[in-house]
Amino acid sequence: MTDFDGAQLSRLASRLTSPQSFVGVLGNLRRDAVELLGGNPASEALPAEALNASVHELLADPARATAALRYSGPRGLDEFVAWLAAREGIDPARIVVTNGGLHALSLVTQALLDAGDSVVTDDPIFPIALRVLQLTGAHAVPVPVGRDGLDVEALERLLAEGVRPRAVYTVADFQNPTGAVLGARARTRLVELAERFGFVVLSDNPYRTSRFAGEDVPDFPTDSDRVVRINTFAKSLGPGLRLGWLALPSWLVQPVLNIRARTDQHPSTFTQAAILGVVRPAGAFDRILADLSALHHSRATTLATSLRTHLAGHIEAERPDGGFFIWARLLDPALSLEPLHHAALAHGTNFSRGTSFAVPGGHDHDRHLRLGFSDIPDTDLEEAVTRLAAAVSTAGGGA
Ligand SMILES: Cc1ncc(COP(=O)(O)O)c(C=O)c1O
């Protein structure tokens, strides 16, 4: 073995640093820590039994087993694509099955963005999506996300000043990390702007199906040739599957497939065939979503109630109507994020610091905490909040 020689790396690899973790561990976490991190759906409601039966049936039939273990087409299995297209209400020719949502984003950004292009993004943003966008060499232009999602009026002001983005990346439903939902009028306006200024709306919407209260907001239209929908089963069937899909305007399908033809060729035939057996029986997917929602609803309510009970005056937290996170704010002027994070780790809990979701040139989010609840039982959530309250005292929170 020769020594590692950085000079052998590509220019791209040599300029990349190891990404910081969302939580940026600052100390030793206690072995009995109850972490409010999240990202995984409630594991109790994932369809492990149905998947077991589906895989068993698939492999017990020699012809189906052989087909599931062979190479297949670049857009995905026909039957699976047809099922997705029916749910999306679009022509199956516009669907491309991917290895999860981030892979979908990566394919589409490689097809759209060049180094030096501007891409408008949510501020705060899901940091892995930011990394995917930045890998193209594009320049992220932050636009604030408020209670009602991306501030489309702020975007209009940027456009009026002459900013010309190639794309606008936003998470319209239960945005990660804020939980905000973009209103119907703002969605319509964003698409009008996209059509007028020629940018593409990259709608990354993994939490749309995770609503547990309130009314659905009508989504972006399916017929605009300026809207790309990025989807995943990560928040409904489990992120470990690495299964997602793109719903593309027709003009973008072949360019995306041209990128794919030079990378992974096609998504896993086996995973698609197995998942089809889980989701295709009438109503099966909606039942899984309903079971998940019931658990997420209870957990979000427990976390929000517990925060109000133990931390009123110190931390402000509202229960969202869906998604996996509470975006809480430090109210108490005696508190600041870093000392609180140190104290939280020492007291056996953890959270994602708001600063992890910042976009260069945007806001710091150093008064915010992202608290995950989706895969944490109610009693553990209560215990975590008790520990967070102890951390608030240690970190100097006024009595
Ligand atoms: C906004 C957003 N996009 C994409 C993803 C990841 O999707 P996947 O695991 O399918 O790549 C997540 C996961 O947390 C997310 O919050």
Side-chain angles (χ1 to χ4, degrees), residues 100-102 126 169 171 176 204 206-207 232 234-235 242:
L102 289 163
F126 171 53
Y169 169 86
V171 177
N176 183 2
D204 181 14
Y207 302 101
T232 177
K235 309 300 169 182
R242 309 314 295 143

Coordinates of all heavy atoms in Angstrom, one line a residue, residues 100-102 126 169 171 176 204 206-207 232 234-235 242, ligand 1:
G100 N -33.9 7.0 -4.3 CA -34.3 7.9 -3.2 C -34.4 9.4 -3.8 O -34.1 9.7 -4.9
G101 N -34.8 10.3 -2.8 CA -35.0 11.6 -3.2 C -33.7 12.4 -3.5 O -33.7 13.2 -4.5
L102 N -32.7 12.2 -2.8 CA -31.4 12.9 -3.0 C -30.8 12.5 -4.4 O -30.3 13.4 -5.1 CB -30.4 12.7 -1.9 CG -30.9 13.4 -0.6 CD1 -30.1 12.8 0.6 CD2 -30.7 14.9 -0.7
F126 N -32.6 22.0 4.2 CA -32.1 20.7 4.5 C -30.7 20.6 4.0 O -30.5 20.7 2.8 CB -33.0 19.7 3.8 CG -32.6 18.2 3.9 CD1 -32.3 17.6 5.1 CD2 -32.5 17.5 2.7 CE1 -31.8 16.3 5.1 CE2 -32.1 16.2 2.7 CZ -31.8 15.6 4.0
Y169 N -35.1 25.8 -5.5 CA -35.3 24.6 -4.7 C -36.1 24.9 -3.5 O -35.7 25.8 -2.7 CB -33.9 24.0 -4.3 CG -34.1 22.9 -3.3 CD1 -34.3 21.6 -3.7 CD2 -34.1 23.2 -1.9 CE1 -34.4 20.6 -2.8 CE2 -34.2 22.2 -1.0 CZ -34.4 20.9 -1.5 OH -34.6 19.8 -0.6
V171 N -39.0 23.0 -0.4 CA -39.8 21.9 0.2 C -41.1 22.6 0.6 O -41.2 23.3 1.6 CB -39.0 21.3 1.4 CG1 -39.9 20.2 2.0 CG2 -37.7 20.8 0.9
N176 N -38.3 20.9 5.8 CA -37.3 20.5 6.7 C -36.2 21.7 6.7 O -35.7 21.9 5.6 CB -36.7 19.2 6.2 CG -35.6 18.7 7.1 OD1 -35.3 19.2 8.1 ND2 -35.0 17.6 6.7
D204 N -39.0 19.5 -3.9 CA -38.6 18.3 -3.2 C -39.6 18.1 -2.1 O -39.7 19.0 -1.1 CB -37.2 18.6 -2.6 CG -36.7 17.4 -1.9 OD1 -37.2 16.3 -2.0 OD2 -35.6 17.6 -1.2
P206 N -40.9 15.4 0.3 CA -41.0 14.1 0.9 C -42.0 14.0 2.0 O -42.5 12.9 2.4 CB -39.6 13.8 1.5 CG -39.0 15.1 1.6 CD -39.5 16.0 0.5
Y207 N -42.4 15.2 2.5 CA -43.3 15.2 3.7 C -44.8 15.4 3.3 O -45.6 15.5 4.2 CB -42.8 16.2 4.8 CG -41.4 15.9 5.2 CD1 -40.4 16.7 4.7 CD2 -41.1 14.9 6.1 CE1 -39.1 16.4 5.1 CE2 -39.8 14.6 6.5 CZ -38.8 15.4 6.0 OH -37.5 15.1 6.3
T232 N -39.9 10.6 -2.7 CA -39.2 9.5 -2.1 C -40.2 8.6 -1.3 O -41.1 9.2 -0.8 CB -38.0 10.0 -1.3 OG1 -37.4 8.9 -0.6 CG2 -38.5 10.9 -0.2
A234 N -38.8 7.4 1.4 CA -38.1 7.4 2.6 C -38.9 7.8 3.8 O -38.7 7.3 4.9 CB -36.9 8.5 2.5
K235 N -39.9 8.6 3.6 CA -40.7 9.1 4.8 C -42.0 8.3 4.9 O -42.9 8.6 5.8 CB -41.0 10.6 4.7 CG -39.8 11.4 4.4 CD -38.7 11.3 5.5 CE -37.4 11.9 5.1 NZ -36.4 11.8 6.1
R242 N -33.9 3.2 -0.2 CA -33.3 4.1 -1.2 C -34.2 4.0 -2.5 O -33.7 3.5 -3.5 CB -31.9 3.7 -1.5 CG -30.9 3.6 -0.4 CD -31.0 4.8 0.6 NE -30.7 6.0 0.1 CZ -31.3 7.2 0.4 NH1 -32.3 7.2 1.3 NH2 -30.9 8.3 -0.1
Ligands
LIG1 C1 -36.3 17.7 2.2 C2 -35.7 16.4 2.1 N1 -35.3 15.9 0.9 C3 -34.8 14.7 0.7 C4 -34.6 13.9 1.8 C5 -33.9 12.5 1.6 O1 -34.6 11.7 0.8 P1 -33.9 10.3 0.5 O2 -33.6 9.6 1.8 O3 -35.0 9.5 -0.2 O4 -32.7 10.5 -0.3 C6 -34.9 14.3 3.1 C7 -34.7 13.4 4.3 O5 -34.6 13.8 5.4 C8 -35.5 15.6 3.2 O6 -35.9 16.0 4.4

